[in-house]
Amino acid sequence: MKKNKMEENNTPEKQESNELQEEDKIPEETGQIDLEETDETISESKEGTDTEEEKLKAEVAEWQNKHLRLYAEFDNFKRRTSKERLELLQIAGKDVIVDLLPVLDDFERAQKSMETASDIEAVKEGVKLVHHKLKNTLAGKGLKEMDSKGKEFDAEVHEGITNIPAPTSDLKGKVIDELEKGYYLNDKVIRFAKVIIGS
């Protein structure tokens, strides 16, 4: 009887249903394994992105630091150069002024001697000497007088004040007289000659 009952329990229909139940269980288990695997891969990828993000943040911070340093250095450079330029402008004429001081001393001596001088010729001679010394000092610094009289009018170096009828035909368009001398400094015009032109 017992055998019959067992055989009844193991009928082909029962066996099929048992097999189906087992098959149903397998996908559930495999499904759970897949989910766990995906969770692990997600956590791994999160860790990967976290480290990449941290690296990028560190790199950005480093570049910002470099940028700030460069900006500060450039700002210091600008301040330093502007200060040096200002100092250079303030003492640019120092050499010339130091060389002109003896001429100034000569003028002061000439002025004192004029107060008590009875011989006008001696005073004239003294003034000529001081003038000559001044011209030589300035020439040593690169100053050169323009020679304009009788030359063709040149707008590059001359400043025409007025036109007058030329006394001779060969003086037409030429400098007849010079009201104010022109000067070169190391072959560069620093003052135009003020001239009268023949027409």
Side-chain angles (χ1 to χ4, degrees):
M1 290 284 286
K2 281 182 185 176
K3 277 184 183 179
N4 286 340
K5 278 184 182 175
M6 284 188 80
E7 282 172 10
E8 281 174 16
N9 285 342
N10 287 331
T11 59
E13 290 173 0
K14 289 264 186 183
Q15 278 180 345
E16 276 179 36
S17 68
N18 287 342
E19 284 173 11
L20 283 171
Q21 282 176 356
E22 282 174 17
E23 280 176 12
D24 287 343
K25 284 180 185 175
I26 291 166
E28 283 176 17
E29 287 171 7
T30 53
Q32 285 175 356
I33 291 164
D34 287 348
L35 284 173
E36 284 171 15
E37 282 177 9
T38 49
D39 286 344
E40 283 174 19
T41 52
I42 288 167
S43 63
E44 280 174 16
S45 66
K46 275 187 182 176
E47 283 172 17
T49 52
D50 284 349
T51 53
E52 281 179 33
E53 197 175 314
E54 284 169 15
K55 281 180 187 176
L56 287 171
K57 280 181 182 177
E59 200 174 325
V60 166
E62 189 183 336
W63 280 108
Q64 282 176 338
N65 192 18
K66 280 183 182 178
H67 171 72
L68 285 172
R69 281 184 186 174
L70 278 171
Y71 182 78
E73 281 175 23
F74 181 68
D75 198 40
N76 290 338
F77 170 75
K78 268 178 27 182
R79 281 195 202 128
R80 193 167 50 250
T81 50
S82 62
K83 187 181 176 184
E84 284 170 5
R85 194 181 298 124
L86 187 65
E87 285 172 3
L88 186 66
L89 287 170
Q90 287 172 346
I91 61 165
K94 182 185 171 188
D95 293 341
V96 176
I97 289 168
V98 167
D99 288 344
L100 286 174
L101 289 176
V103 179
L104 186 63
D105 295 338
D106 286 348
F107 271 118
E108 285 175 3
R109 280 193 286 273
Q111 197 172 3
K112 280 181 185 174
S113 69
M114 279 193 296
E115 288 171 5
T116 57
S118 56
D119 187 10
I120 196 139
E121 287 302 317
V123 172
K124 281 182 181 178
E125 194 60 36
V127 171
K128 277 183 187 176
L129 286 171
V130 174
H131 180 251
H132 185 68
K133 189 175 183 178
L134 176 64
K135 278 177 89 171
N136 285 342
T137 304
L138 292 172
K141 295 293 173 186
L143 190 74
K144 185 180 159 189
E145 285 182 5
M146 253 180 227
D147 184 23
S148 299
K149 268 191 180 181
K151 301 279 172 81
E152 285 285 337
F153 175 76
D154 183 3
E156 295 290 319
V157 292
H158 300 137
E159 187 182 329
I161 301 299
T162 187
N163 289 338
I164 61 165
T168 58
S169 60
D170 62 322
L171 286 175
K172 282 185 178 180
K174 292 185 179 178
V175 175
I176 293 173
D177 198 8
E178 195 175 48
L179 299 176
E180 196 174 85
K181 275 189 182 291
Y183 288 95
Y184 297 103
L185 182 62
N186 299 322
D187 297 325
K188 187 177 179 181
V189 177
I190 59 165
R191 189 171 87 177
F192 295 101
K194 291 182 179 174
V195 296
I196 295 169
I197 309 152
S199 60

